[in-house]
Amino acid sequence: MPSIHYSLSLVASAFALGVLADDTADFDWSGIQPTKNLVYHPCYGTFQCARLEVPLDWHNASDPRTVSIAIRTLPAVVRHDDPTFGGSILTNPGGPGGSGIQFAEDFALPLQRIVDRPGRKHYEIVSFDPRGIGYTTPAADCFHDPVARSAWMLEYRGIGGLTGVGHGHLSESAMGYTLAMNDMFARHCRQSEAKYGEILSFVNTPSVARDMVEIIDRIDQLHNPTTKNTTQADLASTAVDEAVINGDGKVPRLQYIGFSYGTALGNYFASMFPGRVGRIVVDGVTDADDYANGDPGWLGNTIDDDEILERFWKGCFQAGASICPLANDTNISSASRRFWSWVKSLDEQPRSLEGPTGDTVVLTGDDVRRSVGDIFDNPIPGFRDIANTLHRAMAGNETDLFRLAVGRNPLPLFHNGTSSQLQPVDLSSIDQQYSILCGDGKDVTGKPVSYWMRYAEKQKAMSKLLGSYWVTSRLLCSSWPVRARWLFNGPFKSPKADSRLLPGIPAAPLLFMSTELDPVTPLRAARKMAKGHPGARVVTQEGMGHCALQSSPSNCTRSILAEYFDTGKVPDRDTFCKADCGPWDLNCHVQQGLGIPEID
Ligand SMILES: *[C@@H]1O[C@H](CO)[C@@H](O)[C@H](O)[C@H]1NC(C)=O
Ligand SMILES: *[C@@H]1O[C@H](CO)[C@@H](O)[C@H](O)[C@H]1NC(C)=O
Ligand SMILES: *[C@@H]1O[C@H](CO)[C@@H](O)[C@H](O)[C@H]1NC(C)=O
Ligand SMILES: *[C@@H]1O[C@H](CO)[C@@H](O)[C@H](O)[C@H]1NC(C)=O
Ligand SMILES: *[C@@H]1O[C@H](CO)[C@@H](O)[C@H](O)[C@H]1NC(C)=O
Ligand SMILES: *[C@@H]1O[C@H](CO)[C@@H](O)[C@H](O)[C@H]1NC(C)=O
Ligand SMILES: *[C@@H]1O[C@H](CO)[C@@H](O)[C@H](O)[C@H]1NC(C)=O
């Protein structure tokens, strides 16, 4: 499926068998009237929700169109006038296109517990759906019809990935068909813009960063009625750094943690509005320069993947067959050979399968490569799960084969076994992901099959397992129909921080976090990005997985994080943190909510 490996939309568990666990549907957002100032309403149990109205076009004060941003806040355990109230921490789960509203469901409480220092600092956790996404309106939606979207996705899936079906190497005809599918997608987008109004060119990252300024200003205003309102005219530029002065003569500042793509958003923010930086943590770091300026870019992301696969095999054999049944083989090379020849047999002869509720699906070699790659995000508990699934699947167990076909990506259309009602797939659909991703990046439209074939070969050289799948991330922009109205191409840098809250200067250096081996945002990107922000430090956490906080439990990482939010202090130098346990340890769990990120 044309979904990408870049986000952490924390939905459901690893193998949801196509049933979308959307915990956010039980609150009626349409019951909230959007407002220019922040008005909270109780929602989702202990949360508070608001719809904040902001201009669609930050650059055109005479354009009356607006966007209503859905905000979901977990209040602090103390009142905001309590001396230990530490302010708001905004979050972004990645994607691009991940829903903050959905993310908050599992993530807000564990995050609050990690950053709170009882009796000393207590924070509220603020999540929001970025423009175009989820419950924020208007939605970036090229189809306006779940059946039309699903039909497109099913046909796309039918190509069988860029290897096509039949041989397992890159196929020009599969590439040609994929380009035509992307063009068809673009036609849907154009039709939608003409019929329902413009949105796609207004949802990319600079506007979202500007929206975050608005969110923190409006939050400040709740507690501090003398905070001035900014006018749209004030805000056409980074002059917004100084635009809002509250009673203390200080500007409200952002406290933020972003994961994966959310690190690009954090980097854009720090680079565009350095005087608005309070604390910024980025975990699982995107190379923002490559993301914004790569042509086509996205080549270095999967550099760790084949190494992760090797470590998977080593760990499996060390753990032994009682924990990792794939180790029931003579040695690693014969187990690995058995795996690849099985994948090859599926490349040559895809299989039709039936799931537990009667859904049917065709399994290809590409599905297996992708499912195994997906697991790399979360070795805990992913490694043990996939080892068992692969073991049974290779022995012919249909349930497990079905799981591999569906992976973590629900089938584009499913009926849930009890009704014939078709349901849409996702809160953050491809239109939403790609309107941001293609909007931010260089224009790659109009390139021939040969251009993309060369690109795909390079991706495949980067990772045998995932390269040909990762191509999709950029390939889906091959006919992207609009140019973003507000582009920011860097430089991704900020001035040296100063805790005295000086205009135009961050209050603290940025804190970068990464695992040693990350399947889509490798450590070297964190090191590269940190160079643009003087005083920033990189915390490298032992082990594999996408984003440190979500890969393994580590008291070390967590205490650095809490210290940073509290005091603004980063470690004296780049730091290595041990993980408390690893993927093959039976009692190793990642804290609920921080432990079950999903990519899609
Ligand atoms: C600004 O918005 C107004 C009102 O919609 C429109 O007439 C004008 O063309 C816009 N200006 C630019 C530069 O887009
Ligand atoms: C800011 O705008 C809001 C909503 O329009 C209004 O309620 C509030 O009084 C304004 N605040 C100031 C300080 O002007
Ligand atoms: C390991 O393989 C042997 C021989 O093929 C088989 O008898 C045994 O049941 C297998 N054990 C496990 C745990 O799968
Ligand atoms: C692995 O086992 C196979 C037999 O299954 C054997 O032929 C091969 O030499 C072994 N490789 C190593 C490196 O021990
Ligand atoms: C297939 O695997 C599932 C677990 O995924 C298990 O419940 C089921 O019993 C297995 N079926 C057979 C025939 O072994
Ligand atoms: C299936 O759909 C029906 C009708 O919409 C609904 O009542 C039921 O709860 C759904 N079941 C599951 C497992 O989602
Ligand atoms: C991590 O912290 C928890 C709670 O403070 C403690 O129980 C645990 O032993 C610590 N683990 C390690 C490996 O230090």
Side-chain angles (χ1 to χ4, degrees):
M1 264 189 283
S3 45
I4 58 163
H5 281 250
Y6 218 60
S7 71
L8 294 159
S9 55
L10 298 188
V11 275
S13 61
F15 296 114
L17 291 180
V19 176
L20 177 65
D22 180 1
D23 304 324
T24 61
D26 57 3
F27 177 70
D28 180 14
W29 284 87
S30 66
I32 299 183
Q33 181 68 35
T35 46
K36 285 195 161 59
N37 46 347
L38 197 60
V39 181
Y40 275 128
H41 305 260
C43 60
Y44 303 116
T46 56
F47 286 85
Q48 296 282 320
C49 292
R51 294 178 71 198
L52 183 67
E53 197 175 276
V54 300
L56 175 73
D57 185 352
W58 280 113
H59 287 289
N60 185 352
S62 53
D63 188 333
R65 294 173 295 175
T66 59
V67 162
S68 297
I69 301 173
I71 296 175
R72 175 176 180 181
T73 296
L74 179 67
V77 299
V78 297
R79 289 163 45 102
H80 69 77
D81 52 4
D82 189 289
T84 67
F85 179 63
S88 319
I89 296 176
L90 270 62
T91 68
N92 181 280
S99 163
I101 301 305
Q102 189 168 49
F103 178 76
E105 180 75 22
D106 291 324
F107 187 90
L109 191 58
L111 178 63
Q112 189 181 58
R113 290 191 174 140
I114 289 172
V115 292
D116 271 9
R117 293 183 137 176
R120 191 180 151 88
K121 277 287 167 67
H122 301 95
Y123 303 90
E124 66 176 16
I125 308 296
V126 178
S127 284
F128 65 100
D129 280 347
R131 34 177 72 209
I133 311 306
Y135 294 102
T136 286
T137 55
D141 184 345
C142 292
F143 293 94
H144 285 274
D145 171 4
V147 176
R149 174 180 290 111
S150 297
W152 184 89
M153 291 179 83
L154 284 170
E155 185 171 350
Y156 196 108
R157 179 177 160 75
I159 302 171
L162 292 177
T163 55
V165 166
H167 42 62
H169 42 82
L170 291 167
S171 147
E172 283 196 4
S173 58
M175 181 66 84
Y177 204 115
T178 302
L179 290 176
M181 286 300 298
N182 294 352
D183 207 54
M184 202 159 101
F185 175 46
R187 285 173 191 273
H188 281 284
C189 296
R190 271 191 220 100
Q191 286 171 10
S192 168
E193 293 276 284
K195 191 163 169 197
Y196 298 95
E198 283 182 294
I199 178 69
L200 300 176
S201 49
F202 292 102
V203 299
N204 63 317
T205 306
S207 293
V208 179
R210 179 59 190 83
D211 293 342
M212 293 208 294
V213 175
E214 194 66 13
I215 292 172
I216 59 175
D217 285 353
R218 299 286 77 86
I219 289 175
D220 189 79
Q221 199 170 47
L222 282 181
H223 309 323
N224 188 350
T226 61
T227 300
K228 283 189 210 145
N229 286 330
T230 46
T231 66
Q232 198 167 339
D234 286 335
L235 306 171
S237 75
T238 50
V240 69
D241 258 16
E242 280 85 45
V244 175
I245 308 290
N246 67 22
D248 316 325
K250 302 279 194 281
V251 291
R253 285 178 186 257
L254 175 72
Q255 305 190 98
Y256 173 81
I257 183 165
F259 301 94
S260 194
Y261 156 78
T263 69
L265 178 56
N267 208 339
Y268 272 73
F269 187 97
S271 306
M272 295 171 69
F273 310 113
R276 295 309 202 107
V277 174
R279 313 269 187 270
I280 288 185
V281 180
V282 291
D283 185 4
V285 180
T286 303
D287 181 340
D289 192 42
D290 178 67
Y291 172 80
N293 301 311
D295 193 6
W298 295 62
L299 266 173
N301 301 68
T302 58
I303 192 158
D304 289 343
D305 287 15
D306 292 349
E307 169 74 18
I308 297 174
L309 184 60
E310 264 178 48
R311 294 221 195 169
F312 167 82
W313 284 115
K314 278 191 194 134
C316 171
F317 273 74
Q318 269 159 20
S322 64
I323 292 171
C324 181
L326 295 172
N328 193 11
D329 208 317
T330 332
N331 54 38
I332 292 180
S333 57
S334 78
S336 155
R337 215 177 315 116
R338 193 162 71 91
F339 168 73
W340 284 111
S341 77
W342 176 68
V343 173
K344 185 160 180 282
S345 74
L346 287 167
D347 279 329
E348 285 161 3
Q349 179 68 72
R351 285 187 56 172
S352 110
L353 300 162
E354 191 173 325
T357 57
D359 286 336
T360 55
V361 70
V362 168
L363 174 72
T364 65
D366 211 51
D367 293 326
V368 178
R369 283 187 284 270
R370 198 199 56 208
S371 285
V372 173
D374 276 358
I375 286 298
F376 291 177
D377 271 13
N378 311 95
I380 304 165
F383 275 9
R384 274 183 274 144
D385 287 349
I386 196 78
N388 281 291
T389 300
L390 284 174
H391 178 70
R392 288 189 299 254
M394 283 159 74
N397 183 312
E398 184 141 342
T399 309
D400 291 289
L401 287 163
F402 186 85
R403 286 179 181 185
L404 287 171
V406 173
R408 299 199 244 188
N409 303 300
L411 290 173
L413 271 186
F414 62 93
H415 60 91
N416 70 11
T418 60
S419 81
S420 60
Q421 190 191 13
L422 300 174
Q423 306 198 11
V425 244
D426 213 334
L427 261 184
S428 54
S429 58
I430 52 163
D431 347 18
Q432 308 192 341
Q433 298 179 339
Y434 284 88
S435 53
I436 299 169
L437 193 162
C438 304
D440 283 330
K442 273 250 181 326
D443 183 359
V444 291
T445 58
K447 312 279 191 199
V449 170
S450 57
Y451 170 89
W452 289 109
M453 285 299 283
R454 281 196 302 277
Y455 178 64
E457 294 290 354
K458 285 188 199 158
Q459 288 284 12
K460 221 179 159 193
M462 202 59 76
S463 167
K464 179 181 174 187
L465 184 74
L466 274 181
S468 62
Y469 177 51
W470 188 249
V471 178
T472 313
S473 313
R474 219 41 189 106
L475 184 59
L476 257 165
C477 302
S478 64
S479 286
W480 186 251
V482 297
R483 291 307 291 157
R485 297 294 184 87
W486 188 357
L487 279 169
F488 180 79
N489 300 107
F492 292 96
K493 63 174 193 180
S494 60
K496 189 172 188 306
D498 192 311
S499 59
R500 287 172 299 173
L501 308 181
L502 307 176
I505 307 286
L510 272 62
L511 179 63
F512 287 75
M513 309 204 302
S514 178
T515 57
E516 287 177 282
L517 293 171
D518 184 301
V520 287
T521 54
L523 172 58
R524 64 181 194 170
R527 293 197 172 124
K528 180 179 164 193
M529 290 298 104
K531 289 203 178 90
H533 304 279
R537 295 287 179 261
V538 180
V539 173
T540 306
Q541 183 178 290
E542 178 186 21
M544 299 163 270
H546 187 36
C547 304
L549 266 189
Q550 327 220 13
S551 297
S552 321
S554 166
N555 285 351
C556 166
T557 304
R558 290 172 184 183
S559 68
I560 290 172
L561 188 68
E563 170 75 21
Y564 174 74
F565 275 114
D566 182 2
T567 66
K569 279 203 203 98
V570 294
D572 291 340
R573 62 180 84 87
D574 287 353
T575 296
F576 182 79
C577 270
K578 279 193 86 61
D580 297 345
C581 53
W584 304 100
D585 298 334
L586 287 180
N587 290 319
C588 194
H589 306 284
V590 187
Q591 184 167 346
Q592 173 68 35
L594 289 176
I596 49 166
E598 279 252 286
I599 46 177
D600 59 8

